[in-house]
Structure formats: structure tokens, C-alpha cells
Amino acid sequence: MRKLLPICICMLAFVYSTSTNAQVQKSDQNLGFGFDIRSLSGDGKQSNTNLFIAYTYYLSNRISIGVGPKFGWQTNSTSNEDPMTGETTVTTNKTSTIGYNAFLNYSFVTENGFAMPYFGGQFLRFIQKQPSTDNIVMNSYGVNAGIKFFITERLNVDNNVSYTWVTQETKTINSGGIPIELDLEGTVLQINVGLGYIIGRKN
């Protein structure tokens, strides 16, 4: 995640050097693209990198709802205890994920015209594609906070941080005919960096 800091600083410096007077209007639609880096704490630690597409609709110039798909890859480690010997083994795997994100945000309109902070809630459902076992389905829900910088009246840079709680829908998986119990619940810290463009504006 430290590698993202120079990128964010450069984006901020560029945006603050520009002078625009654009923010959102009621019924605006924003189409966004970007990536995020996510870290899951708990017994089943994971680190994820995802690409996402996000569609946002502004119910007013402050309240927005959105949804979009996510595609990613990750490394994860799972601890398993042998009931006979009591020994714990740690297994590390590389997998891919697919899912979708839904969110509701409240924005703060600012006088400078190009910076628009916001906060809100979000829900994420994703499926981990396992190479040799059953797929794993998980849900997460929580809060996010970020800021949009408008480079032009329509083009914007969107940076945010989210903190969510993960719940497992899949409790066990079948690996070679052997059932394995999972414990992947925990909390997720996620950093998102993306570009967006206002579409559908009439004026």
C-alpha cells in the first residue's frame, strides 16, 4: 500500500494546479475505472489487487448510489489444525476473484469547485475461484470515505479508503474429497484509486 502514496501525492499536486469550477448535479451519472488494494485481517489473511468498473447515479448533488463489477487476483494463507495431532499447518494459495460492489454516498459540495469529499456505506460480494477446491463465496459491508478531484467539468480523479467486515457464505470446501472448514471472517482495509467521467449531463 505504501507504493500508492507517491501516486496519490502526484495526483493531488496535479489537480490542485488546475483551476476548474465543476461538481455534480442532480441526475448526473459517473462512469469510473480503477484499481484497489485490499488487506484482510483474521485467521485467513489475504492480500488482493482488483480492477473495477463503477457506475454512479446522483439522486441530488450530495447523495449518490452506485454499483459495479470487480475482477482481481490474490494470495491468501489459511491455517488448519489436525484434530488428531493438534499440529497447525499454513497453506498459501494464489487465486482469482470476481464480484460486485454497491454503495451509497453523501458528498460535501465545496466552494473551490474541484474538490468534493464524501463518505458512505458499501456492500461487496465476491467469489474466489479456487484451482483445486470448491469456490469460496464471501460478503463484506462497512464504511468508506474519499474525495473526488475534478480535472475538467466531467473528468475526475477519485481516491477513497474503506473499512469493511467480512462474513463467509461458504463455510466448508471440498478438496480431493476431504471437507475443509474455513475461517476467513475478519476486517478489510481497502485503498481505491480511479478515474471517472460524468455522462448523460444535458448542460
Side-chain angles (χ1 to χ4, degrees):
M1 291 188 180
R2 292 181 180 177
K3 295 180 181 180
L4 288 178
L5 186 58
I7 298 175
C8 294
I9 291 175
C10 290
M11 285 182 173
L12 291 176
F14 172 76
V15 171
Y16 273 109
S17 67
T18 59
S19 162
T20 68
N21 260 337
Q23 288 189 331
V24 296
Q25 305 170 8
K26 180 180 178 181
S27 76
D28 273 355
Q29 303 166 66
N30 187 77
L31 186 62
F33 306 87
F35 71 94
D36 64 60
I37 295 178
R38 182 175 59 192
S39 177
L40 170 65
S41 66
D43 292 336
K45 294 182 179 179
Q46 298 180 358
S47 59
N48 310 68
T49 302
N50 300 283
L51 301 176
F52 66 83
I53 302 172
Y55 169 81
T56 304
Y57 181 82
Y58 284 87
L59 301 173
S60 70
N61 66 340
R62 296 182 182 273
I63 300 175
S64 61
I65 57 175
V67 67
K70 282 179 175 282
F71 312 93
W73 57 96
Q74 67 186 36
T75 59
N76 62 75
S77 59
T78 305
S79 299
N80 296 304
E81 182 177 344
D82 190 320
M84 302 297 293
T85 64
E87 295 181 356
T88 300
T89 59
V90 179
T91 303
T92 301
N93 296 308
K94 293 184 178 181
T95 60
S96 61
T97 62
I98 185 171
Y100 68 88
N101 186 44
F103 52 88
L104 171 67
N105 289 331
Y106 181 88
S107 301
F108 297 91
V109 179
T110 59
E111 293 182 359
N112 60 35
F114 58 82
M116 189 175 71
Y118 63 89
F119 76 96
Q122 70 179 49
F123 170 81
L124 173 64
R125 179 180 175 86
F126 55 98
I127 301 172
Q128 293 182 6
K129 301 289 186 178
Q130 306 286 55
S132 58
T133 65
D134 296 335
N135 294 333
I136 299 174
V137 181
M138 293 190 288
N139 302 312
S140 72
Y141 56 93
V143 296
N144 70 80
I147 186 167
K148 285 182 185 291
F149 297 103
F150 284 84
I151 300 173
T152 69
E153 290 188 356
R154 295 176 181 267
L155 183 65
N156 56 84
V157 177
D158 189 359
N159 302 302
N160 73 63
V161 177
S162 64
Y163 187 80
T164 59
W165 292 263
V166 173
T167 59
Q168 293 175 228
E169 187 169 314
T170 304
K171 301 295 184 181
T172 61
I173 57 175
N174 189 335
S175 178
I178 302 174
I180 299 176
E181 293 187 4
L182 299 176
D183 186 8
L184 299 177
E185 296 188 356
T187 57
V188 174
L189 179 64
Q190 180 173 291
I191 297 176
N192 306 272
V193 178
L195 286 174
Y197 190 81
I198 300 293
I199 59 175
R201 181 178 289 178
K202 296 181 180 180
N203 52 39

